[in-house]
């Protein structure tokens, strides 16, 4: 039996046969019982969830010779005629191929006439979101003043593409994906009726692949039954759908975990020779690592892992990864899956993705170093204490500058430096304040999220320091970043870190950009007009700068040397 025949034979002909949409069926039946049938319905939901089928069953229910009835008899001439498509007053239109204004005008002209064979004229417009703007306007006129004998049923997978004026004139029903358990029950029923032998694991696997679409599940069932001579096993289902077997999953995951590219590449080649498509392999790998992650984070939950046969082996593989590694691996696979859609060499891109996983799959730094959680907490406390001491010392240094310069009438140019020895020039904020609402600033803000993501790909530690910042203004090829934490600002300004950020910014913005940093409090003060819009990170008068001749350094610089060491504290003219 062909797929079309099999699907038609198992396509629900009555409301009670619908799978997974009981909430919608009950609402429609109550409306029929109370004779409050609407003139227009909007059925929205994923493909294969029963939108068009429900529309036809509704058309039979309101026109049944023994009704209107909450269940069509499915035996009278009207019900049979609607099922077979012989009733001219029940019209099904595919908007994907009949999307113009002429088709809708034709409907508008014909709705005025009473039905010739049944009670209601029913127009079922499938994929209604494909209609043109002019066609929607023509349809709107009909929906605003519909004749009493007409019912419109609009079906779509993308309701956001419909005009609000159309949606507001329809009763909207959202069809949900059919659950795996409901699909397995229906597939098992079909197998018993059709004399097909199938294991529960195979039916669960088919149901998961259909992604909640009953129609797709029946299609895969029939395809697998033909391949396996009506004896469906999990291995047969995996082979016919292009999936990766559990053993191949394990070998790939093991090679990635061991960072063994030499073993992984032959595995990919074997998959390609076996007829597996790169996009299907990528999709299956995402599912596989998703299941590993679920088992890792919710070991006591009812995580759906029907794709895996040997659960003990699967749990052992899950224990080899940290959640952070699995999150990152899924992100990488998802990124390359999108790239795969337009790739000229899909196999090569799959191999690149897996090589990227090998380089990313590294042991947790804390575990590798053998550091306990208590030690990590203690280190964090020490870092916070050092940050506060540095901030205090810097404030004392700035405050000491005027005192040291008393009695000295000569005003030498001020010098500016940071604790890590970075020569930081003055930042005049007036032009950044003026550019706050400018087009360049708005464009930079829209791209900042992408810049952060690419910086993370280049070097995650740079993005970690940069996360404390906020892009507030952009002008004349410069990006102004504000920081709450001085140390995060210092680390961001390191030459190697700055170079990465500026390179990524140039790539994303398609023009070179330099980053400029200020503290958040200084920026806020500039916005409020409480300062002269000129900020320096740390200013010293000449008397505070150590002399080349070996004069004694100020006490606060000596304290900084004790804290960080001479190699990290550099005073620059």
């Amino acid at each position: 039996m062909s797929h079309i025949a099999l699907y038609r034979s198992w396509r629900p002909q009555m409301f009670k046969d619908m799978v997974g949409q009981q909430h919608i069926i009950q609402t429609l039946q109550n409306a029929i019982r109370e004779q409050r049938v609407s003139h227009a319905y909007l059925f929205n939901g994923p493909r294969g969830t029963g939108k068009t089928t429900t529309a036809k069953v509704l058309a039979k229910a309101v026109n049944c010779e023994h009704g209107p009835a909450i269940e069509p008899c499915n035996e009278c001439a009207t019900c049979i005629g609607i099922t077979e498509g012989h009733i001219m007053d029940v019209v099904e239109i595919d908007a994907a191929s009949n999307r113009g204004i002429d088709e809708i005008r034709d409907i508008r002209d014909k709705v005025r006439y009473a039905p010739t064979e049944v009670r209601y004229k029913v127009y079922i417009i499938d994929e209604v979101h494909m209609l043109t703007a002019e066609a929607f306007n023509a349809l709107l006129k009909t929906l605003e003043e519909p004749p009493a004998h007409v019912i419109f049923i609009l079906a779509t997978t993308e309701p956001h593409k419909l005009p609000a004026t159309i949606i507001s004139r329809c009763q909207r029903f959202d069809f949900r994906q059919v659950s795996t358990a409901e699909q397995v029950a229906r597939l098992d029923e079909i197998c018993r009726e059709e004399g097909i032998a199938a294991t529960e694991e195979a039916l669960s696997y088919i149901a998961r692949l259909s992604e909640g679409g009953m129609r797709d599940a029946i299609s895969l069932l029939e395809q697998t039954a033909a391949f396996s001579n009506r004896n469906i096993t999990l291995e047969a289902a995996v082979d016919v759908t292009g999936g990766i077997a559990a053993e191949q999953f394990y070998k790939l995951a093991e090679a990635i975990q061991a960072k063994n590219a030499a073993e992984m590449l032959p595995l990919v080649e074997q998959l390609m020779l076996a007829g597996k498509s790169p996009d299907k392999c990528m999709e299956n790998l995402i599912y596989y690592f998703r299941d590993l992650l679920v088992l890792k984070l919710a070991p006591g939950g009812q995580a759906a892992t029907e794709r895996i046969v040997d659960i003990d082996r699967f749990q052992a593989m899950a224990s080899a990864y940290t959640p952070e590694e699995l999150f990152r691996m899924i992100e990488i696979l998802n990124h390359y899956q999108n790239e795969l859609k337009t790739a000229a060499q899909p196999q090569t891109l799959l191999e690149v993705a897996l090589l990227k996983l090998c380089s990313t799959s590294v042991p947790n730094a804390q575990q590798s170093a053998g550091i306990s959680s208590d030690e990590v907490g203690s280190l964090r406390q020490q870092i916070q204490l050092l940050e506060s001491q540095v901030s205090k010392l810097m404030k004392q240094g700035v405050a000491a500058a005027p005192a040291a310069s008393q009695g000295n009438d000569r005003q030498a140019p001020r010098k500016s430096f940071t604790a890590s020895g970075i020569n930081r020039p003055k930042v005049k904020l007036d032009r950044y304040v003026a550019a706050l609402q400018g087009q360049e600033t708005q464009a930079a803000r829209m791209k900042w999220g992408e810049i952060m993501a690419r910086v993370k790909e280049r070097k995650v530690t740079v993005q970690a320091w940069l996360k404390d910042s906020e892009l507030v203004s952009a002008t004349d090829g410069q990006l102004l970043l504000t920081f709450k934490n001085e140390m995060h600002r210092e680390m961001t300004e390191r030459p190697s870190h700055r170079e990465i950020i500026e390179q990524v910014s140039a790539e994303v913005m398609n023009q070179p950009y330099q980053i400029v940093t200020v503290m958040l409090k200084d920026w806020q003060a500039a916005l409020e007009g409480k300062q002269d819009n000129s900020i320096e990170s740390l200013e010293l008068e000449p008397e505070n700068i150590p002399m080349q001749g070996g004069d004694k350094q100020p006490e606060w610089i000596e304290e900084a040397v004790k804290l960080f060491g001479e190699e990290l504290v550099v005073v620059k003219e």
Side-chain angles (χ1 to χ4, degrees):
M1 181 180 291
S2 69
H3 161 57
I4 295 177
L6 180 61
Y7 178 67
R8 283 179 176 170
S9 67
W10 280 95
R11 190 172 188 172
Q13 306 298 328
M14 303 176 71
F15 282 133
K16 66 180 181 180
D17 297 328
M18 290 297 300
V19 177
Q21 313 301 341
Q22 285 74 17
H23 60 300
I24 295 175
I25 301 306
Q26 182 178 348
T27 304
L28 293 174
Q29 287 180 326
N30 290 342
I32 296 171
R33 182 186 295 111
E34 298 173 8
Q35 297 184 0
R36 295 181 179 275
V37 178
S38 174
H39 70 280
Y41 293 95
L42 174 61
F43 290 172
N44 155 64
R47 69 181 191 276
T49 52
K51 300 183 293 297
T52 306
T53 299
T54 301
K56 289 186 176 180
V57 176
L58 177 59
K60 288 195 289 188
V62 297
N63 286 315
C64 180
E65 294 178 6
H66 305 289
I70 60 174
E71 282 288 359
C73 70
N74 223 33
E75 297 176 353
C76 66
T78 298
C79 288
I80 295 173
I82 293 174
T83 301
E84 296 178 352
H86 297 160
I87 303 298
M88 303 301 294
D89 293 317
V90 177
V91 183
E92 183 176 359
I93 301 171
D94 181 13
S97 54
N98 300 279
R99 58 194 304 264
I101 189 172
D102 293 335
E103 289 82 357
I104 302 302
R105 280 176 177 167
D106 184 59
I107 294 174
R108 189 180 63 185
D109 293 339
K110 292 179 178 179
V111 295
R112 293 178 288 178
Y113 303 109
T116 58
E117 301 176 82
V118 292
R119 297 185 191 89
Y120 292 94
K121 277 190 171 182
V122 181
Y123 289 92
I124 303 171
I125 306 179
D126 198 13
E127 301 297 339
V128 68
H129 64 273
M130 298 292 289
L131 292 178
T132 63
E134 294 79 8
F136 273 126
N137 290 334
L139 179 62
L140 180 62
K141 288 292 184 183
T142 305
L143 293 180
E144 284 177 339
E145 301 174 359
H149 57 265
V150 175
I151 298 175
F152 282 93
I153 305 176
L154 314 180
T156 179
T157 55
E158 302 183 60
H160 57 278
K161 293 185 178 180
L162 271 63
T165 50
I166 296 290
I167 296 175
S168 65
R169 286 165 174 80
C170 302
Q171 284 191 14
R172 176 172 173 170
F173 291 90
D174 294 329
F175 284 67
R176 67 175 178 84
Q177 292 181 329
V178 183
S179 69
T180 302
E182 291 171 321
Q183 284 186 314
V184 169
R186 174 52 62 90
L187 294 176
D188 183 60
E189 183 183 355
I190 293 174
C191 288
R192 283 188 278 106
E193 290 289 331
E194 298 291 332
I196 300 172
T199 65
E200 184 178 352
E201 293 84 2
L203 296 182
S204 296
Y205 178 80
I206 291 172
R208 287 290 294 274
L209 285 185
S210 69
E211 297 181 351
M214 196 67 238
R215 182 181 62 213
D216 292 348
I218 296 175
S219 174
L220 289 171
L221 176 71
E222 198 235 350
Q223 184 181 0
T224 308
F227 171 79
S228 61
N229 197 22
R230 305 176 76 81
N231 184 19
I232 301 175
T233 62
L234 178 60
E235 290 73 17
V238 170
D239 285 341
V240 78
T241 58
I244 307 177
E247 182 65 25
Q248 293 169 311
F249 269 131
Y250 186 83
K251 288 181 178 178
L252 273 176
E254 195 175 47
I256 292 170
Q257 198 274 332
K259 298 193 292 184
N260 190 343
E263 181 181 345
M264 182 195 64
L265 292 176
L267 287 173
V268 175
E269 188 64 30
Q270 292 173 16
L271 290 172
M272 298 301 103
L273 292 175
K276 312 299 183 185
S277 63
D279 60 331
K280 204 67 179 179
C281 290
M282 194 85 79
E283 177 184 336
N284 278 253
L285 282 169
I286 291 175
Y287 282 136
Y288 182 80
F289 287 113
R290 173 262 180 197
D291 286 344
L292 285 175
L293 181 62
V294 171
L295 190 63
K296 189 80 176 176
L297 297 180
Q302 299 297 320
T305 56
E306 287 87 349
R307 287 177 289 269
I308 307 304
V309 179
D310 191 345
I311 188 64
D312 293 332
R313 198 175 188 186
F314 186 61
Q315 288 175 331
M317 178 57 66
S319 64
Y321 291 100
T322 66
E324 292 75 15
E325 286 177 318
L326 293 172
F327 276 122
R328 180 61 178 154
M329 291 161 76
I330 292 172
E331 287 178 4
I332 292 172
L333 289 173
N334 184 64
H335 169 75
Y336 281 102
Q337 186 182 38
N338 294 330
E339 298 287 334
L340 204 60
K341 296 174 183 177
T342 57
Q345 299 291 335
Q347 179 180 342
T348 301
L349 198 63
L350 173 63
E351 291 171 342
V352 169
L354 295 177
L355 289 172
K356 185 76 175 285
L357 293 186
C358 282
S359 63
T360 304
S361 178
V362 295
N364 181 277
Q366 177 180 333
Q367 294 175 348
S368 299
I371 304 175
S372 67
S373 299
D374 293 339
E375 289 174 323
V376 171
S378 176
L379 287 172
R380 286 176 177 168
Q381 290 178 357
Q382 292 181 35
I383 291 172
Q384 291 174 356
L385 179 60
L386 287 172
E387 287 181 350
S388 63
Q389 289 178 343
V390 169
S391 178
K392 189 175 182 180
L393 287 170
M394 293 176 70
K395 288 179 181 177
Q396 290 174 350
V398 173
S405 62
Q406 288 178 359
N408 190 348
D409 296 331
R410 182 176 56 85
Q411 297 294 325
R414 290 183 165 188
K415 309 298 179 183
S416 177
F417 66 92
T418 69
S420 58
I422 296 172
N423 187 12
R424 182 184 291 153
K426 293 181 181 180
V427 180
K428 295 186 178 296
L429 297 181
D430 49 356
R431 63 192 186 97
Y432 294 105
V433 173
L436 193 58
Q437 303 300 327
Q439 186 175 356
E440 189 174 359
T441 297
Q442 301 305 319
R445 284 178 175 173
M446 291 177 63
K447 296 286 189 179
W448 186 242
E450 184 179 352
I451 292 173
M452 291 283 285
R454 292 201 186 184
V455 169
K456 185 177 180 180
E457 290 182 1
R458 293 281 186 89
K459 193 171 185 180
V460 69
T461 53
V462 177
Q463 191 260 358
W465 297 115
L466 194 60
K467 279 170 63 177
D468 180 59
S469 70
E470 179 184 358
L471 175 62
V472 295
S473 183
T475 181
D476 298 331
Q478 292 184 329
L479 303 176
L480 182 66
L481 308 180
T482 63
F483 285 82
K484 299 176 184 177
N485 184 288
E486 177 66 33
M487 180 171 285
H488 291 178
R489 181 188 181 193
E490 294 276 350
M491 296 302 295
T492 300
E493 285 190 333
R494 282 191 172 183
S496 59
H497 295 176
R498 174 188 287 271
E499 182 180 0
I500 292 174
I501 299 168
E502 291 179 348
Q503 284 179 352
V504 170
S505 300
E507 293 171 3
V508 174
M509 302 292 291
N510 294 321
Q511 69 178 80
Y513 269 96
Q514 293 181 338
I515 63 168
V516 180
T517 68
V518 293
M519 297 304 295
L520 178 60
K521 57 183 177 57
D522 297 325
W523 172 248
Q524 291 172 341
L527 292 178
E528 296 170 3
K530 293 182 178 178
Q531 63 164 20
D532 63 355
N533 288 348
S534 179
I535 309 298
E536 292 179 79
S537 63
L538 188 60
E539 297 181 348
L540 299 179
E541 295 297 342
E543 290 78 0
N544 279 6
I545 301 174
M547 297 293 104
Q548 297 291 336
D551 293 347
K552 181 177 176 58
Q553 294 179 336
E555 180 180 352
W556 66 273
I557 293 183
E558 293 180 354
E559 290 294 329
V561 172
K562 292 178 182 177
L563 283 172
F564 299 103
E566 292 183 356
E567 68 278 4
L568 292 180
V569 178
V570 181
V571 181
K572 289 193 175 183
E573 292 288 342

